[in-house]
Amino acid sequence: MSDIKKVVLAYSGGLDTSVIIPWLKEHYDNCEVIAVSADVGQGSELDGLEEKAIKTGASKLYIEDLTDEFVDEYIIPTMQAGAMYENYLLGTSFARPIIAKRIVEIALKEGADAIAHGCTGKGNDQVRFELAIKAFAPEMKIIAPWRTWELDSREKEIEYAEAHNIPLKINRETNYSKDKNLWHLSHEGLDLEDPANEPQYEKDGFLEMSVSPLEAPDAPTYVTIDFEQGVPVAVDGKKMKGSDIVRTLNELGGKNGIGLLDIVENRLVGMKCRGVYETPGGTILYEAHRILETLTLDKMTAHKKAELAITFGELVYNGQWYTPLREALSAFVTSTQQNVTGTVKLKLYKGNMINAGVTSPYSLYSEDIATFGESDYDQMDSQGFINLYGLPIKVQALLKQGKLKK
């Protein structure tokens, strides 16, 4: 441990990383700790962080604004892929690579001996952070206190924080493990550890980005979203950058109870865990994009893309953003988005999203062909198609009946 003089810490100001600063100094011979906080749209959680980090022993705090890059280079490509993991829209998952990349850049600039993080040995984030670190600084030492320290519960962490006069925004009753960014908010722990318990959606303070569908307005809200080559560019006709689109849809979706997800998911490390997610704007974007693709993608491309979306989602969830396969899949997705241009209208109502109309200049839908009325479509064409399509079935049946001519 004596060779570690300077450590760069991935710092959120939450319970884990607040405790880690003094713990590192105690266990690594009063090493210098440089804290790095990434702004990925978590808002007020960044308030007062510098004062807190310095007070608890950090020599400095970097606050890096990564929000636009996060949306444009990580969120939108994943949304275009239609990628999710067991219905989870990957809010924490695709935030970790961009955060870890920036931490590595700062660690190399500062000449740090190691990078530290506050991820537990039970979770997925340890993998996501460390795979990203290996991608950009393969020889960097990594310190993961949760895998070695004596503070083996959040209760003990709180006791340690109280003993070291570390201010916390939580208490033992509100001690959910949360992760927030522009895209989502996750809730784990406490009563949610028992899948038999209903989430307390109506309890004051539980939901932060949304309301319970029971508390949503009694009248629907209509919203239109414009896409250009799969990229959202406007809401209700107003052009705006990607991060502002997510913010706008978060507000609309949140007040209508959109995007609540309660799942027991399969973690990368092998165990099942229960989490509640709020993803109001992201859920709207995924649905609008999916609807637009029903008009603009041909059948074979749409079906193959849906298959590959599973793999894409697993790569993101498993921390493998910086891999050749993810890059190759992104190249495929980009090629499929050339004609994904148009406008989708959705009706938002008490947690539901209802398709209220979709248009595209590249629509493959022809009312003339599909109509039940008169059209130029020759219905006799189907007879030959069925004969050829059904030929293998017919041959099998003739063989079973002993009627196949040889």
Side-chain angles (χ1 to χ4, degrees):
M1 294 184 182
S2 60
D3 61 337
I4 295 178
K5 306 295 185 184
K6 185 184 291 188
V7 179
V8 169
L9 170 66
Y11 182 74
S12 68
L15 175 60
D16 296 325
T17 56
S18 296
V19 167
I20 284 174
I21 293 177
W23 186 91
L24 285 172
K25 298 181 77 68
E26 287 178 0
H27 291 77
Y28 287 85
D29 196 23
N30 199 35
C31 65
E32 180 183 1
V33 178
I34 298 171
V36 179
S37 294
D39 182 355
V40 284
Q42 60 269 51
S44 61
E45 289 188 2
L46 296 169
D47 295 346
L49 273 196
E50 183 173 11
E51 179 183 358
K52 181 177 179 180
I54 300 301
K55 184 177 180 180
T56 51
S59 63
K60 66 175 77 170
L61 170 68
Y62 287 85
I63 296 181
E64 302 293 295
D65 186 357
L66 306 177
T67 305
D68 287 336
E69 183 183 355
F70 176 44
V71 173
D72 296 340
E73 303 298 327
Y74 295 79
I75 288 178
I76 289 177
T78 304
M79 181 273 299
Q80 289 177 317
M84 59 184 72
Y85 182 81
E86 299 178 356
N87 292 323
Y88 160 53
L89 297 187
L90 301 166
T92 300
S93 309
F94 50 34
R96 296 318 186 213
I98 186 175
I99 294 171
K101 179 172 180 269
R102 186 64 184 126
I103 288 171
V104 169
E105 291 168 352
I106 291 173
L108 294 176
K109 182 181 77 170
E110 290 280 355
D113 304 304
I115 292 174
H117 62 74
C119 308
T120 75
K122 291 183 177 181
N124 304 305
D125 278 344
Q126 58 181 334
V127 181
R128 297 166 184 155
F129 270 114
E130 294 186 28
L131 292 191
I133 293 169
K134 292 178 187 299
F136 297 102
E139 297 181 332
M140 180 68 68
K141 293 178 181 176
I142 299 173
I143 300 173
W146 259 103
R147 298 204 285 253
T148 61
W149 67 6
E150 67 283 3
L151 307 176
D152 56 2
S153 70
R154 290 177 68 82
E155 280 287 326
K156 290 182 180 179
E157 284 186 288
I158 292 175
E159 292 172 3
Y160 182 95
E162 291 172 345
H164 289 74
N165 298 314
I166 299 172
L168 299 175
K169 294 182 180 180
I170 62 171
N171 55 49
R172 287 171 173 80
E173 288 70 40
T174 62
N175 186 22
Y176 288 105
S177 176
K178 296 186 179 185
D179 178 77
K180 186 178 184 181
N181 57 47
L182 183 64
W183 188 249
H184 90 148
L185 174 64
S186 64
H187 309 255
E188 293 179 327
L190 297 181
D191 56 301
L192 297 178
E193 291 188 346
D194 184 350
N197 291 331
E198 179 182 359
Q200 302 180 62
Y201 293 135
E202 287 78 46
K203 183 178 179 180
D204 186 45
F206 180 76
L207 296 176
E208 297 181 26
M209 299 178 71
S210 313
V211 299
S212 165
L214 296 178
E215 298 170 344
D218 293 330
T221 298
Y222 284 89
V223 61
T224 62
I225 305 166
D226 295 337
F227 291 87
E228 293 179 3
Q229 295 189 332
V231 177
V233 295
V235 176
D236 291 333
K238 183 179 179 180
K239 293 272 188 178
M240 58 186 82
K241 63 181 181 179
S243 58
D244 286 338
I245 286 176
V246 176
R247 289 186 184 96
T248 300
L249 294 179
N250 276 343
E251 182 178 352
L252 292 174
K255 74 178 185 180
N256 284 282
I258 305 295
L260 298 179
L261 179 67
D262 174 12
I263 59 172
V264 174
E265 69 195 60
N266 292 290
R267 278 184 178 168
L268 172 60
V269 295
M271 69 184 72
K272 289 184 180 290
C273 68
R274 197 272 189 94
V276 170
Y277 299 98
E278 301 177 55
T279 320
T283 302
I284 293 171
L285 272 182
Y286 262 70
E287 178 65 2
H289 183 264
R290 183 196 67 79
I291 290 171
L292 182 57
E293 283 193 332
T294 65
L295 280 191
T296 57
L297 292 189
D298 66 276
K299 172 183 173 180
M300 293 298 290
T301 300
H303 289 187
K304 182 55 65 176
K305 183 171 177 287
E307 291 177 26
L308 295 175
I310 297 173
T311 301
F312 198 115
E314 288 177 338
L315 290 173
V316 177
Y317 187 84
N318 294 343
Q320 296 174 301
W321 185 270
Y322 302 117
T323 61
L325 179 54
R326 199 282 306 163
E327 292 173 0
L329 289 180
S330 285
F332 163 75
V333 170
T334 298
S335 73
T336 69
Q337 299 299 291
Q338 295 178 17
N339 292 336
V340 185
T341 296
T343 300
V344 179
K345 179 189 285 187
L346 293 174
K347 181 193 292 187
L348 312 179
Y349 183 68
K350 292 190 178 295
N352 297 290
M353 296 177 294
I354 302 165
N355 182 1
V358 54
T359 61
S360 171
Y362 302 104
S363 175
L364 297 173
Y365 175 82
S366 169
E367 185 176 354
D368 178 67
I369 293 175
T371 181
F372 285 100
E374 294 183 8
S375 75
D376 294 332
Y377 178 81
D378 186 349
Q379 300 205 29
M380 283 299 296
D381 288 345
S382 62
Q383 181 173 317
F385 164 74
I386 294 170
N387 287 338
L388 291 176
Y389 188 64
L391 184 59
I393 298 173
K394 179 179 179 179
V395 170
Q396 286 286 342
L398 290 172
L399 177 64
K400 288 179 181 179
Q401 295 172 12
K403 298 177 182 179
L404 184 65
K405 296 180 181 179
K406 305 255 180 145

